[in-house]
Amino acid sequence: ASGPFSLTYIASKIDAETPSSAIGDISIKDIGDLETADRGDLSVFFDVRYAAALADTKASAVVTTRVLAPHASKGQALLFVANPRAAFAAAGHLLYPAAAPNGGVSAGAQIDPSAVIGCGTQIDFGAAIGPGVIIGERCHIASHVVLGAGVTIGDDSRIGAHSALANALVGAGVEIGSSCTIGGPGFGFVAGPKGPLRMLQLGRVIIEDG
């Protein structure tokens, strides 16, 4: 985790109400669910079904709404938001930010000379970058990714290990997980004189920004 952060600082980053001075200086170093959270952790309460867990939690502070606040014990430090689950997710990303690409290109990557690689982009071992591929700035192309001819990747995007992209235009800020196949031929077949004949696929995949 990148913390600890004060509750006031976390509130400012997750669109929460500014906590009172009595709890604003509470130091948060981690996140956890109500049952397993410990001192120094931030947790979340978004459903009355978990009221018993809220009563027993050891979390130093809990993200919730004012409507649900009456279920809390007296003296519990509460951080009020409109959408507790979304705010808690944002707090998690604040405490555990994704590692920035290191800008290195592995000697074990195969990159066609016609490919264009943006500044700060990291390409890991075993990646295969085809002709005419354009990769934006600060991207991360993980191990054994295959980018077919003409694929375009926008700035700040991440492609997980062992994924294959073809016939695809990918925008900025897109995250594709591991072992994904995007832009491959479809599964349409017709009966041919010598067996099944694949229907020709002439489309492309467009994934917009974000």
Side-chain angles (χ1 to χ4, degrees):
S2 61
F5 300 120
S6 72
L7 201 59
T8 297
Y9 177 80
I10 293 175
S12 71
K13 298 298 182 180
I14 65 172
D15 293 327
E17 295 181 23
T18 302
S20 67
S21 57
I23 65 172
D25 290 334
I26 290 177
S27 181
I28 300 296
K29 60 180 177 58
D30 210 339
I31 57 174
D33 57 38
L34 291 169
E35 292 85 356
T36 61
D38 206 343
R39 187 175 300 277
D41 292 350
L42 179 70
S43 193
V44 60
F45 177 61
F46 58 90
D47 192 313
V48 294
R49 291 178 298 175
Y50 304 106
L54 175 65
D56 293 335
T57 190
K58 297 179 181 178
S60 291
V62 178
V63 175
T64 191
T65 67
R66 286 198 172 274
V67 172
L68 293 171
H71 295 279
S73 301
K74 185 178 181 180
Q76 274 189 318
L78 303 178
L79 203 55
F80 297 119
V81 298
N83 185 334
R85 296 185 73 189
F88 186 64
H93 287 288
L94 178 66
L95 282 159
Y96 290 92
N102 61 26
V105 176
S106 171
Q110 300 178 30
I111 302 176
D112 189 274
S114 64
V116 177
I117 312 298
C119 179
T121 284
Q122 175 181 340
I123 301 178
D124 293 345
F125 178 85
I129 313 299
V133 169
I134 299 175
I135 303 175
E137 298 181 356
R138 300 173 302 279
C139 294
H140 183 195
I141 310 301
S143 296
H144 303 291
V145 166
V146 177
L147 300 182
V151 167
T152 298
I153 309 291
D155 295 343
D156 301 301
S157 291
R158 295 170 178 264
I159 314 298
H162 296 279
S163 287
L165 279 69
N167 310 305
L169 306 179
V170 179
V174 174
E175 185 163 344
I176 295 174
S178 300
S179 302
C180 296
T181 301
I182 295 176
F187 293 97
F189 292 86
V190 295
K194 297 182 180 180
L197 181 65
R198 185 188 293 272
M199 292 294 291
L200 188 62
Q201 305 290 318
L202 297 177
R204 63 182 178 183
V205 176
I206 298 176
I207 302 177
E208 297 187 4
D209 294 352

